[in-house]
Amino acid sequence: MTAPEPPSAPEPPSAPEPPSAPAPTTPTPTAAPRAATGRTGPGAPYTDPTLGIPVPTSWRGEPRNRLVTIGDSLTQGFQSCAAFQTQLSYPAIIAHELGWAEHFRHPSFEGCGGLPLNLEMLLRDIEDHCGRAIDWWDTPSALFRARRFMDKVEDYWERGAGCAPVAEEAINHNLAVFGWDLRDALDKSADVCREMIDAPRDDLVRQVVSSPGERAALRTLPTRPPTAGALTQVTAAAALGEQTAGTRHGEATEDGEREADPEHGIETLIVFLGANNALSSVIELKVVWSEEGYDDLREKARFTVWRPEHFAAELRQLADAVERIRARHVIWCTVPHVTIAPIARGVRGKLEPGSRYFPYYTRPWISDSAFDPERDPHLTAEQARAVDAAIDQYNDAMAEVVRGARQAGRDWYLLDAAGLLDRLACRRYFEDEAARPDWWTPYPLPRELAGLDPVPNSRFLLSDGDRRSDGGLFSLDGVHPTTVAYGILAQELIEVMRRAGVEFRTPYGGRPRTGPVRVDFTRLMRRDTLVNRPPANVTSGLEAIGWADEALDVLARALRFGRRGK
């Protein structure tokens, strides 16, 4: 029996749409004046990270751990179906601008292009052996190369050097693990993940690393000494928060080492979780609302979207745990609207003028003319709208958590990542003036990105054979940001941290920075190979990926992060 769907979010008055099926959900809070909500109006993003609630603060010394992050793939720096260059994650970018990069600890996934499958490296390997364009007669050769590449990656992470335990005893500052939702952050530890990893086998057909999220956790969460194996993301952060005594190691000033904060072991804690409580709906193109078992590590894999009341229950437990972490400032990031990600492309034109939604959402390699709702996987407009409505309620619940904390005197903040993505949404708002709500304005890209030709946008990344011809904000998996887009997220978080009074220092020298702190996008553009040098075969390669995905379930399996029962 199909579960009912939560009510949809209201459309602009000029463009009403049919209502979605009702369901029992937590009520959406009535809009209040901006001073009390941080919003400019009903349905608008939360623009004031303090929600209009002042909190008096007084600090002494400096916490030993200046930045700690709890999160999922967006925080780990996942890109093109792989955790790979984690030194370019948004937390690492912030640490660089803090002048603290050499102290910021994060896991490494450099081997074989990362975990579980690096689509950029796969396409470049095919390009090296099959040429810059993939025609239909090249498909068998391309798939042969793809199988060889995937087999090598699978062997490395399941039976080779990639499965060797990490000997580091210091707890990472970036504790994010791809594929994790709120319950995972609360309950999964290295010990739990070790028990959940399947016995490795060399699968000749479905050559994707098994249990990749759990394998990533063994490189991210502490495993040594043996007692540390019981620490979850939250309790590992709590352990860093307890590091309050003594002085800051290795960070000397002219007057000697800096005094440590006697009350807080963490200066800024960022919590960015919840996307995976809805993301599977667009990855699997299937809406399965959560039921009993949503809070069980094994049972929850059956669901692709959490009911708002279930999400709120999980969030309350997470917030209670975060309250116990000794962090000066805590920044909560809202859940982006997953239906904007180009992994699920809207087809057949908007439902009607002024609508945010397309009749159907399917894979990006399926053209409007080729799409057949009887044959091709898809979500309907009603399903996409219901998922968005659920996420809106997730974010309202998160705002209530921050509001309650600030009223209780805790220095917590809200960054509306959903509003950020909405302002970057190319097909939903930017190209359709009639669909823009009153609050919408285009996001002003940094001048380094605004000067590119073409200007990066939220479409699926494409190449004309010589250069990027479209996209640029999403990587090749159609879900995760490119390096420069991670820089945009880092910039927004830096603004919140500056508002909290965090001191930023020069990356090389450690001198206090005065005036605005701007992310070095020139540095990021040099490192962003998808923006400045995408695979030449990415346009024709997209069709090959589509064929392989339909034949081998490659992309969906990699992005499901090994969801059990799939």
Side-chain angles (χ1 to χ4, degrees):
M1 179 176 177
T2 303
E5 301 177 359
S8 61
E11 284 289 324
S14 61
E17 295 183 5
S20 57
T25 64
T26 51
T28 302
T30 302
R34 179 181 179 185
T37 66
R39 284 176 160 176
T40 57
Y46 292 91
T47 55
D48 181 356
T50 71
L51 303 181
I53 303 170
V55 174
T57 58
S58 177
W59 319 117
R60 180 163 67 89
E62 183 174 281
R64 293 177 60 179
N65 302 292
R66 299 205 63 202
L67 178 65
V68 175
T69 55
I70 294 172
D72 52 33
S73 54
L74 290 172
T75 301
Q76 196 168 37
F78 202 87
Q79 199 174 107
S80 298
C81 279
F84 179 39
Q85 298 190 77
T86 50
Q87 72 275 17
L88 296 175
S89 66
Y90 80 75
I93 295 170
I94 295 173
H96 175 83
E97 302 301 337
L98 273 172
W100 201 63
E102 62 180 301
H103 304 283
F104 185 73
R105 296 187 295 271
H106 55 85
S108 173
F109 300 91
E110 295 291 334
C112 274
L115 181 67
L117 178 65
N118 190 321
L119 280 180
E120 180 181 357
M121 291 191 68
L122 172 61
L123 279 183
R124 293 192 189 280
D125 183 75
I126 293 174
E127 178 184 344
D128 289 343
H129 292 84
C130 302
R132 293 161 60 90
I134 301 176
D135 297 306
W136 65 266
W137 56 82
D138 294 316
T139 300
S141 176
L143 289 178
F144 174 76
R145 292 299 311 180
R147 283 184 178 275
R148 288 191 59 178
F149 182 88
M150 294 167 65
D151 184 53
K152 179 182 177 181
V153 172
E154 183 188 35
D155 286 345
Y156 178 86
W157 292 108
E158 290 189 359
R159 290 166 290 280
C163 69
V166 177
E168 178 64 55
E169 292 191 13
I171 299 174
N172 282 316
H173 294 111
N174 189 345
L175 293 164
V177 181
F178 62 77
W180 282 23
D181 57 27
L182 273 63
R183 176 53 48 186
D184 295 318
L186 287 165
D187 286 357
K188 278 187 179 179
S189 64
D191 290 345
V192 170
C193 290
R194 197 175 286 110
E195 293 178 0
M196 296 181 74
I197 292 176
D198 300 326
R201 68 180 190 277
D202 194 4
D203 194 325
L204 296 178
V205 178
R206 296 176 179 262
Q207 294 168 313
V208 177
V209 180
S210 66
S211 305
E214 288 74 25
R215 295 181 191 277
L218 296 182
R219 288 177 165 259
T220 304
L221 300 179
T223 57
R224 298 169 70 92
T227 54
L231 294 176
T232 64
Q233 277 196 46
V234 176
T235 54
L240 292 173
E242 295 300 319
Q243 297 177 357
T244 58
T247 55
R248 298 286 304 272
H249 299 300
E251 291 195 48
T253 66
E254 294 179 359
D255 300 323
E257 291 190 325
R258 296 188 178 97
E259 177 190 6
D261 185 326
E263 297 181 1
H264 308 93
I266 298 172
E267 185 171 22
T268 302
L269 173 66
I270 297 173
V271 183
F272 197 173
L273 284 164
N276 287 302
N277 292 88
L279 183 60
S280 290
S281 61
V282 294
I283 291 173
E284 300 182 30
L285 293 176
K286 183 193 310 180
V287 174
V288 182
W289 294 98
S290 60
E291 297 289 354
E292 183 178 352
Y294 71 89
D295 55 355
D296 182 272
L297 287 179
R298 295 182 182 273
E299 289 295 317
K300 67 184 179 66
R302 297 184 288 121
F303 313 122
T304 63
V305 191
W306 266 237
R307 293 179 179 277
E309 62 266 31
H310 294 163
F311 183 92
E314 300 275 78
L315 179 64
R316 185 66 262 171
Q317 292 185 48
L318 179 62
D320 289 344
V322 171
E323 284 179 9
R324 296 190 288 271
I325 299 175
R326 300 175 73 174
R328 270 189 188 178
H329 322 289
V330 178
I331 304 174
W332 292 78
C333 300
T334 64
V335 179
H337 291 118
V338 298
T339 55
I340 292 176
I343 185 62
R345 190 179 74 88
V347 294
R348 301 275 182 93
K350 292 286 187 76
L351 279 175
E352 57 185 60
S355 173
R356 291 179 292 169
Y357 297 100
F358 293 80
Y360 302 100
Y361 292 79
T362 189
R363 293 295 178 231
W365 49 80
I366 300 176
S367 67
D368 287 45
S369 59
F371 173 73
D372 181 351
E374 299 298 322
R375 178 194 65 208
D376 296 317
H378 65 272
L379 296 179
T380 65
E382 283 298 297
Q383 289 174 317
R385 195 167 54 173
V387 171
D388 280 352
I391 290 174
D392 288 339
Q393 294 185 64
Y394 297 175
N395 295 337
D396 288 340
M398 198 173 294
E400 287 302 315
V401 162
V402 174
R403 180 174 294 111
R406 292 192 67 82
Q407 290 171 342
R410 288 184 289 276
D411 201 34
W412 287 18
Y413 298 84
L414 185 73
L415 174 69
D416 198 338
L420 171 62
L421 182 58
D422 285 349
R423 294 180 68 194
L424 290 166
C426 186
R427 303 185 72 208
R428 177 169 293 191
Y429 293 131
F430 188 84
E431 297 174 354
D432 187 353
E433 292 187 18
R436 299 174 184 174
D438 292 340
W439 55 260
W440 190 89
T441 57
Y443 184 84
L445 290 174
R447 57 180 177 78
E448 295 90 340
L449 302 186
L452 295 177
D453 182 22
V455 176
N457 61 52
S458 64
R459 290 177 176 272
F460 205 97
L461 188 140
L462 296 176
S463 166
D464 62 8
D466 295 314
R467 57 197 290 272
R468 178 180 57 87
S469 59
D470 207 352
L473 296 179
F474 283 90
S475 65
L476 292 175
D477 58 30
V479 173
H480 296 93
T482 56
T483 297
V484 296
Y486 277 125
I488 293 173
L489 180 56
Q491 184 68 68
E492 293 298 311
L493 283 159
I494 286 171
E495 297 303 322
V496 179
M497 293 169 68
R498 291 275 287 174
R499 182 161 184 168
V502 174
E503 182 181 78
F504 283 74
R505 304 185 184 120
T506 55
Y508 311 105
R511 294 184 302 278
R513 299 168 70 168
T514 59
V517 174
R518 302 300 182 197
V519 166
D520 185 352
F521 279 94
T522 300
R523 180 181 78 95
L524 298 184
M525 287 169 57
R526 287 197 300 265
R527 306 291 297 275
D528 194 331
T529 55
L530 290 177
V531 167
N532 62 45
R533 193 176 58 85
N537 59 8
V538 74
T539 301
S540 56
L542 179 62
E543 298 173 1
I545 292 172
W547 192 94
D549 186 59
E550 293 173 2
L552 304 174
D553 206 21
V554 172
L555 186 59
R557 281 177 63 83
L559 285 176
R560 285 176 190 146
F561 310 117
R563 280 166 53 86
R564 292 173 180 274
K566 302 298 178 185

